[in-house]
């Protein structure tokens, strides 16, 4: 009898031990949940450095549960690829312009309508506005993807081999733009020849003459070294650009409310930090580019605005006057 009891006790203890090991094992797996965070920007840029900071901060605030590796400079694919990766499950988080998300949810694209934002502060005000929160909710309902933060990317200016001072001067120029209608709007309105080329291939395309011009913020012109293969920078400021931090549905839907708060808080803090660095660097770069021998040109911006309003009207691009008016009112 006692032997039988002893065996039963041992079996119970053994089962408990196995159960405990299973619990501990699952906890260990949870503690080392690895996530991939992808973007197309250089390691020198604040979009990367602040993402690395955010990855470490999320790990810290989640007590080590989330181990996030940041993959910069298109190492996990071009911008189209990483956007698709959120739904395919090949990436878990990205930083990307919402123009790519607008392919699935066109309403996001209004943020790229030329001259819609007065400056970076206006863009950030929009990111906190009710109209943007409504868009985020609709986008999540449609795709499952959660937008957690918006970072100021910079005012987009035009570089070329030959300087010009107004919209007419852009006519006939072969210019690289992202493959998005709103990015093509200004060059098309001015009679240029916009040519979509993947971001990672732009330097070579400028170097070998596949295109004569491109448009990007000053900080990107610096980081990607486009100034080495261009002679002039025209301060067109035609689009005030931003990047969104997005989390894949297969990750977001499994997070607890507390974890969702951690991801949201940290990515928003990272966005504030990166935005401040971009603004500070923008203020320094005009003089630095002049010192490098580039011609920096103040253009007649109204000529570009007038051409866009005439040739690429808001409603003709699928956007609503209501959203435009709400964005204009954001403060």
């Amino acid at each position: 009898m006692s032997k039988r009891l002893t065996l039963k006790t041992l079996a119970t203890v053994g089962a408990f031990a196995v159960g405990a090991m299973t619990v501990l094992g699952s906890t260990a797996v949870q503690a080392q949940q690895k996530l991939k965070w992808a973007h197309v920007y250089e390691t020198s840029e604040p979009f990367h450095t602040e993402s690395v900071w955010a990855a470490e901060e999320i790990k810290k605030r989640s007590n080590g549960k989330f181990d996030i590796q940041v993959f910069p400079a298109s190492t996990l694919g071009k911008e189209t690829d990483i956007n698709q990766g959120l739904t395919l499950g090949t990436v878990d988080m990205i930083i990307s312009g919402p123009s790519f998300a607008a392919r699935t949810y066109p309403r996001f694209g209004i943020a790229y309508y030329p001259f819609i934002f007065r400056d970076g502060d206006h863009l950030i005000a929009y990111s906190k506005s009710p109209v943007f929160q409504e868009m985020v909710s609709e986008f999540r309902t449609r795709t499952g993807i959660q937008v957690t933060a918006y970072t100021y990317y910079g005012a987009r200016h035009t570089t070329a081999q030959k300087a010009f001072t107004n919209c007419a001067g852009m006519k006939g120029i072969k210019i690289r733009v992202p493959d998005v209608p709103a990015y093509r709007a200004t060059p098309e309105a001015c009679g240029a020849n916009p040519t979509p080329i993947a971001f990672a291939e732009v330097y070579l395309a400028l170097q070998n003459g596949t295109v004569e011009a491109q448009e990007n913020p000053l900080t990107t012109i610096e980081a990607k070294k486009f100034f080495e293969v261009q002679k002039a920078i025209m301060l067109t400021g035609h689009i005030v650009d931003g990047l969104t931090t997005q989390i894949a549905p297969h990750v977001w839907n499994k997070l607890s409310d507390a974890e969702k708060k951690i991801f949201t808080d940290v990515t928003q803090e990272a966005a504030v930090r990166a935005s401040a660095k971009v603004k500070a660097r923008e203020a320094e770069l005009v003089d630095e580019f002049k010192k490098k021998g580039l011609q920096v040109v103040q253009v007649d911006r109204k000529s570009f605005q007038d051409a866009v309003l005439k040739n690429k009207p808001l409603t003709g691009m699928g956007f609503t006057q209501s959203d435009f008016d709400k964005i204009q009112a954001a403060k």
Side-chain angles (χ1 to χ4, degrees):
M1 183 74 176
S2 61
K3 187 175 180 183
R4 210 176 288 150
L5 278 171
T6 304
L7 287 170
K8 190 175 180 183
T9 304
L10 283 170
T12 304
V13 170
F16 177 79
V18 169
M21 285 173 68
T22 303
V23 170
L24 287 170
S26 65
T27 304
V29 168
Q30 280 185 354
Q32 296 188 10
Q33 188 173 337
K34 295 187 181 297
L35 300 178
K36 294 178 180 178
W37 185 345
H39 64 77
V40 299
Y41 304 101
E42 299 300 313
T43 54
S44 61
E45 294 184 89
F47 318 114
H48 177 71
T49 57
E50 295 306 325
S51 296
V52 171
W53 172 84
E56 286 300 314
E57 195 66 16
I58 289 169
K59 187 174 185 179
K60 190 191 304 178
R61 296 190 199 181
S62 66
N63 296 317
K65 179 175 179 179
F66 299 101
D67 183 11
I68 304 172
Q69 184 176 355
V70 182
F71 293 85
S74 305
T75 50
L76 291 188
K78 298 169 185 174
E79 203 151 10
T80 300
D81 302 325
I82 63 173
N83 274 270
Q84 291 173 342
L86 288 178
T87 47
L88 295 174
T90 53
V91 296
D92 305 300
M93 299 174 65
I94 67 170
I95 289 181
S96 174
S99 60
F100 290 87
R103 293 174 178 178
T104 306
Y105 178 65
R107 197 177 171 197
F108 266 153
I110 195 169
Y112 291 86
Y113 187 68
F115 306 102
I116 194 167
F117 295 119
R118 294 180 288 276
D119 52 28
D121 290 339
H122 184 199
L123 179 141
I124 297 303
Y126 156 69
S127 76
K128 297 173 182 176
S129 70
V131 66
F132 182 69
Q133 298 313 315
E134 184 183 303
M135 291 181 192
V136 167
S137 178
E138 288 180 0
F139 179 60
R140 185 179 61 247
T141 299
R142 183 173 297 189
T143 65
I145 298 166
Q146 177 65 39
V147 175
T148 59
Y150 214 132
T151 305
Y152 174 58
Y153 183 58
R156 298 180 80 95
H157 301 294
T158 308
T159 67
Q161 298 296 7
K162 191 166 69 174
F164 53 85
T165 58
N166 56 27
C167 174
M170 203 184 233
K171 187 173 182 179
I173 289 177
K174 197 169 185 182
I175 178 171
R176 179 269 172 183
V177 294
D179 189 14
V180 175
Y183 281 124
R184 296 196 300 267
T186 301
E188 284 177 349
C190 293
N193 180 15
T195 306
I197 293 173
F199 194 47
E201 299 162 13
V202 177
Y203 184 98
L204 185 59
L206 292 168
Q207 189 178 46
N208 64 24
T210 302
V211 289
E212 307 160 70
Q214 68 83 47
E215 50 81 60
N216 261 299
L218 298 178
T219 48
T220 306
I221 294 166
E222 177 189 38
K224 287 289 189 179
K225 301 188 185 301
F226 296 150
F227 62 86
E228 294 179 347
V229 287
Q230 298 276 263
K231 293 177 181 174
I233 301 176
M234 278 56 68
L235 299 177
T236 49
H238 50 285
I239 292 175
V240 175
D241 212 343
L243 303 176
T244 50
T245 307
Q246 302 175 36
I247 301 176
H250 66 266
V251 176
W252 185 256
N253 293 336
K254 293 178 183 175
L255 298 178
S256 67
D257 287 346
E259 289 165 351
K260 286 176 179 176
K261 187 174 188 307
I262 289 170
F263 275 78
T264 301
D265 289 350
V266 172
T267 54
Q268 287 183 358
E269 288 169 34
V272 169
R273 292 160 59 106
S275 296
K277 288 182 178 179
V278 171
K279 285 182 188 176
R281 190 62 184 145
E282 272 186 323
E284 301 166 347
L285 278 171
V286 168
D287 285 340
E288 292 203 18
F289 285 136
K290 285 179 180 177
K291 288 174 187 174
K292 291 180 186 296
L294 273 81
Q295 190 176 352
V296 180
V297 182
Q298 295 286 349
V299 299
D300 174 9
R301 292 181 79 238
K302 190 173 184 302
S303 69
F304 293 92
Q305 288 175 289
D306 290 346
V308 168
L309 288 170
K310 179 183 176 184
N311 300 319
K312 295 288 176 180
L314 184 83
T315 52
M317 295 186 69
F319 306 128
T320 68
Q321 190 65 43
S322 173
D323 279 350
F324 182 87
D325 292 342
K326 289 172 185 174
I327 291 171
Q328 293 307 298
K331 292 179 181 177

